[in-house]
Amino acid sequence: MTSSNDAGAPSARTLVKRYRHLAHYDRETIDAILDAMPVAHIAYLHEGQPIVTPTLQWREGDRVYWHGAAKGRMMRATEGADVCLTVSILDGLVLARSAFNFNVNHRSAMLFGKAEAVTDPKEKIRLLTRLVNGFAPDQWDKLRPATESEITATAILSLKIEEASAKVRSGPPEDNESDYAHPVWAGVLPIRLTVGAPEPDPRNSPGVAAPDLSGYSIG
Amino acid sequence: MTSSNDAGAPSARTLVKRYRHLAHYDRETIDAILDAMPVAHIAYLHEGQPIVTPTLQWREGDRVYWHGAAKGRMMRATEGADVCLTVSILDGLVLARSAFNFNVNHRSAMLFGKAEAVTDPKEKIRLLTRLVNGFAPDQWDKLRPATESEITATAILSLKIEEASAKVRSGPPEDNESDYAHPVWAGVLPIRLTVGAPEPDPRNSPGVAAPDLSGYSIG
């Protein structure tokens, strides 16, 4: 069964086949999901076995970036390799009138491609600056400056956003029309990610000014 | 470099090598993470390529279960296959005094093994009952009863919890001792998952009683 919605799928493996009416292939939808949730789950092969590792991701233009210990399993196994990067946000549990129509409200984006290493130290510093300042504006310049060995020990990989799809579900259950008369409560239990008040390190020097973290939101 | 903490690792691929002081291999820690977060990310191979798909998981004793469309890519590709199932919870962003020591507070569990299908319809119904009632106590019996074809169309897979590890980070930054005097604010921006008030389906029959969802928590 095809759907008019299938036309935007950039490849066979990105074509959403289950709940395909929830599929989106436009960059606006995909970028909004990537920008809302800093945690990605990246699947890769290591010694022939699939592994999925959660890690921070950040987007700049047409690319998603992640970083890690240059000597770590994830960074070594994903450099130059085929990966699948998924960002998902749970928005609610959907209680329907039949178990079969139970669902979750969610937003997820799935990207495929070869992970490419960022090797130029200046570009690595620029990207790490962006990561840090994405959490707290102008924070990078206030930090103890990064050393050359720290930059060397940090690998940064990226994936171009081209083979990508998104799935978005919101709203009440979609029950079989004949089930709506069944006398059971149906609805959504909403779930949200919230950012709490900053917790200062007990070892902070007296008088250091807290950064403006009020603009940071997630989910 | 080895650590006394390594002793509990059940296999080479579950041995945590980065931040190994954050590693846990005990079932109590692993089970608590699985029970706190219903979303798992499952990595598997499909036509030789790694894919990671988010899905609901639930634990019963020594096994983790997930379900999906029997004809779907994820269920077909994971039945009898090696998978990696990861559950992760983001608890906060850790702003340190150097970019190198930035971190995230988190709890994650990673399981390896072969996914096994649950094929007995009675056992499938028992497990689905548990999934539904895990969200809202006694809800299963109030639903429009599941049909045989719905049970057939729903595949359930499970993974035994035996090759598993967890990583838990909490608390303030761990800076280099020489960096603590650097005059910058350091601390944690806490992140929490919260469950909101139930949102009734506008098509609910008049007078249906809302289930008791007050006991449901996440994260």
Side-chain angles (χ1 to χ4, degrees):
Chain A
M1 192 169 70
T2 59
S3 146
S4 61
N5 205 15
D6 294 353
S11 68
R13 63 181 172 177
T14 51
L15 176 65
V16 172
K17 291 180 187 161
R18 296 287 137 193
Y19 292 104
R20 58 179 66 190
H21 61 292
L22 306 179
H24 297 264
Y25 302 102
D26 63 289
R27 278 293 300 279
E28 194 182 345
T29 303
I30 291 163
D31 290 1
I33 295 166
L34 296 171
D35 295 350
M37 177 45 138
V39 175
H41 284 79
I42 301 180
Y44 54 96
L45 281 182
H46 177 69
E47 297 174 357
Q49 301 288 326
I51 300 187
V52 49
T53 301
T55 195
L56 289 181
Q57 62 82 24
W58 69 104
R59 184 184 70 87
E60 189 176 298
D62 291 335
R63 288 191 170 270
V64 169
Y65 296 89
W66 63 97
H67 76 313
K71 291 184 177 171
R73 173 172 74 182
M74 199 256 290
M75 300 308 277
R76 283 184 296 123
T78 52
E79 183 181 336
D82 281 303
V83 299
C84 174
L85 183 152
T86 295
V87 170
S88 69
I89 304 166
L90 176 64
D91 289 323
L93 303 174
V94 181
L95 283 70
R97 292 159 184 87
S98 69
F100 197 68
N101 286 319
F102 267 53
N103 213 326
V104 285
N105 282 340
H106 65 282
R107 289 163 284 159
S108 65
M110 187 181 281
L111 281 59
F112 290 97
K114 274 194 201 304
E116 294 169 49
V118 177
T119 53
D120 176 44
K122 283 207 177 78
E123 175 67 357
K124 285 166 75 174
I125 290 171
R126 192 187 69 75
L127 287 164
L128 293 171
T129 303
R130 201 180 180 294
L131 172 64
V132 164
N133 289 347
F135 297 140
D138 306 321
Q139 190 74 358
W140 179 273
D141 288 340
K142 300 174 193 162
L143 301 176
R144 187 267 291 155
T147 66
E148 202 178 304
S149 66
E150 286 175 341
I151 299 300
T152 303
T154 304
I156 302 183
L157 294 174
S158 87
L159 189 60
K160 195 165 181 200
I161 306 169
E162 47 189 1
E163 203 178 336
S165 62
K167 241 170 147 175
V168 177
R169 194 204 185 282
S170 61
E174 294 170 275
D175 271 301
N176 300 1
E177 204 48 49
S178 57
D179 287 339
Y180 277 92
H182 188 80
V184 63
W185 187 93
V188 173
L189 196 57
I191 292 165
R192 289 187 193 92
L193 279 161
T194 58
V195 179
E199 299 167 351
D201 187 337
R203 294 186 64 179
N204 274 348
S205 302
V208 291
D212 180 10
L213 299 167
S214 61
Y216 190 74
S217 69
I218 186 168
Chain B
M1 191 170 69
T2 59
S3 147
S4 61
N5 205 15
D6 294 354
S11 69
R13 63 182 173 176
T14 50
L15 175 66
V16 172
K17 291 182 186 159
R18 297 286 138 193
Y19 293 104
R20 58 178 67 187
H21 61 293
L22 305 179
H24 297 263
Y25 302 102
D26 64 288
R27 278 293 301 281
E28 194 181 348
T29 304
I30 291 163
D31 290 359
I33 295 166
L34 296 171
D35 295 349
M37 177 46 140
V39 176
H41 284 79
I42 300 180
Y44 55 97
L45 281 184
H46 177 69
E47 297 174 356
Q49 301 288 327
I51 299 187
V52 48
T53 301
T55 195
L56 289 182
Q57 61 82 23
W58 68 104
R59 183 183 71 86
E60 188 176 299
D62 291 336
R63 288 191 170 271
V64 169
Y65 296 89
W66 63 98
H67 76 312
K71 291 183 175 171
R73 173 171 74 184
M74 200 255 289
M75 300 307 278
R76 285 185 293 122
T78 52
E79 183 180 336
D82 280 304
V83 300
C84 174
L85 183 152
T86 296
V87 170
S88 68
I89 305 166
L90 176 64
D91 289 322
L93 303 173
V94 182
L95 283 70
R97 293 159 183 87
S98 69
F100 196 69
N101 287 320
F102 268 53
N103 215 325
V104 286
N105 282 341
H106 65 283
R107 289 163 285 160
S108 65
M110 186 181 282
L111 281 59
F112 291 98
K114 275 196 202 301
E116 294 168 49
V118 177
T119 53
D120 176 44
K122 284 207 179 79
E123 174 68 358
K124 285 165 79 174
I125 290 170
R126 194 188 68 75
L127 287 163
L128 293 171
T129 303
R130 201 181 181 291
L131 171 64
V132 163
N133 288 348
F135 297 141
D138 306 320
Q139 191 72 359
W140 180 274
D141 288 341
K142 300 174 193 161
L143 301 176
R144 186 267 291 153
T147 67
E148 200 178 306
S149 66
E150 286 175 341
I151 299 300
T152 303
T154 304
I156 302 183
L157 294 174
S158 86
L159 189 62
K160 193 162 182 203
I161 307 170
E162 49 189 358
E163 203 178 335
S165 62
K167 242 170 145 175
V168 178
R169 194 204 185 281
S170 61
E174 294 170 277
D175 271 301
N176 301 0
E177 205 47 51
S178 57
D179 286 341
Y180 278 91
H182 188 81
V184 64
W185 187 93
V188 173
L189 196 57
I191 292 165
R192 289 186 193 94
L193 278 160
T194 59
V195 180
E199 299 167 351
D201 186 338
R203 294 186 65 181
N204 274 349
S205 303
V208 292
D212 179 11
L213 299 167
S214 62
Y216 190 74
S217 70
I218 186 169

